[in-house]
Amino acid sequence: MNHKELIGAVAARLDMPEDYVSRLLEVAVDTMSAQLCEGNQVGVQGFGTLEVRRKEERISVNPATQVRTLVPPKLVVNFKQSNVLKDKLKGLPHE
Amino acid sequence: MNHKELIGAVAARLDMPEDYVSRLLEVAVDTMSAQLCEGNQVGVQGFGTLEVRRKEERISVNPATQVRTLVPPKLVVNFKQSNVLKDKLKGLPHE
């Protein structure tokens, strides 16, 4: 499901114009991004928590050439599912 | 920032009642959860992609007792940040 389909589905369920849903989601995403960029975690009820984690630098070896490269440290956003979402996933088959 | 603060911030920025924002976010989260539970990935523009990944079973060793336990396979929701969010994070100091 892409962004447009998500907006369409939410708008249909709430019987609201898509523009409206789109604007609200945009502001929500922007607010969450700003919090993450300040180093704060963001919790969304019934869904999960987002936070920025630092990945340490590491040495990567190209298996074909054996050339070793230093991968610099980087910041990634980590999502931790809430227990509610975890329970919902239990219904999903382990492919 | 917790769920209540997120709703407050979005409502203030859009000058909308909090009930309204809360309901819309609830439906968005519910829609995304349902998609994830069906095994689909969900993309949110300017933010990232959520998808369910299977973590393989593994053997965990308790370092104190050396007791080995089989941790069963499980499904976790993985978040992959979009390039837009990745660029924003570059401004954050690597603590």
Side-chain angles (χ1 to χ4, degrees):
Chain A
M1 173 177 259
N2 63 29
H3 191 73
K4 208 170 143 53
E5 291 164 340
L6 173 63
I7 288 169
V10 173
R13 272 183 61 180
L14 290 170
D15 198 14
M16 275 183 192
E18 292 197 4
D19 286 6
Y20 217 85
V21 173
S22 169
R23 177 82 187 117
L24 203 144
L25 274 189
E26 191 187 312
V27 171
V29 160
D30 192 65
T31 305
M32 290 193 284
S33 299
Q35 288 292 319
L36 292 170
C37 287
E38 284 178 26
N40 300 327
Q41 64 169 40
V42 182
V44 181
Q45 217 164 42
F47 199 60
T49 308
L50 290 156
E51 70 178 323
V52 174
R53 288 201 189 155
R54 184 178 191 270
K55 280 210 174 172
E56 295 302 327
E57 62 182 14
R58 62 187 177 81
I59 291 162
S60 138
V61 182
N62 180 323
T65 62
Q66 297 293 318
V67 172
R68 296 156 72 93
T69 325
L70 184 69
V71 180
K74 58 181 170 185
L75 297 168
V76 293
V77 176
N78 185 269
F79 176 77
K80 191 177 183 306
Q81 60 206 4
S82 70
N83 288 333
V84 175
L85 183 53
K86 201 169 159 183
D87 286 346
K88 280 186 189 162
L89 288 179
K90 280 186 186 152
L92 200 62
H94 287 234
E95 340 82 78
Chain B
M1 172 178 261
N2 63 30
H3 192 73
K4 209 172 143 47
E5 291 164 339
L6 173 63
I7 288 169
V10 174
R13 271 183 62 180
L14 290 171
D15 197 14
M16 275 183 191
E18 292 198 5
D19 286 7
Y20 218 84
V21 174
S22 171
R23 178 78 187 119
L24 202 144
L25 275 189
E26 192 187 311
V27 171
V29 161
D30 192 65
T31 305
M32 290 192 286
S33 298
Q35 286 292 320
L36 292 170
C37 287
E38 282 177 28
N40 300 330
Q41 65 169 39
V42 182
V44 181
Q45 217 165 41
F47 199 58
T49 309
L50 291 156
E51 71 179 320
V52 175
R53 288 202 188 155
R54 184 177 191 269
K55 279 209 174 175
E56 294 302 327
E57 64 182 13
R58 62 188 176 83
I59 291 162
S60 138
V61 182
N62 180 324
T65 62
Q66 297 293 319
V67 172
R68 294 156 73 93
T69 326
L70 183 70
V71 180
K74 57 181 170 185
L75 296 169
V76 294
V77 177
N78 185 270
F79 176 76
K80 191 175 182 308
Q81 60 207 2
S82 69
N83 288 334
V84 176
L85 183 52
K86 200 169 160 185
D87 285 345
K88 282 187 188 162
L89 289 178
K90 281 187 185 153
L92 201 62
H94 287 232
E95 339 81 80

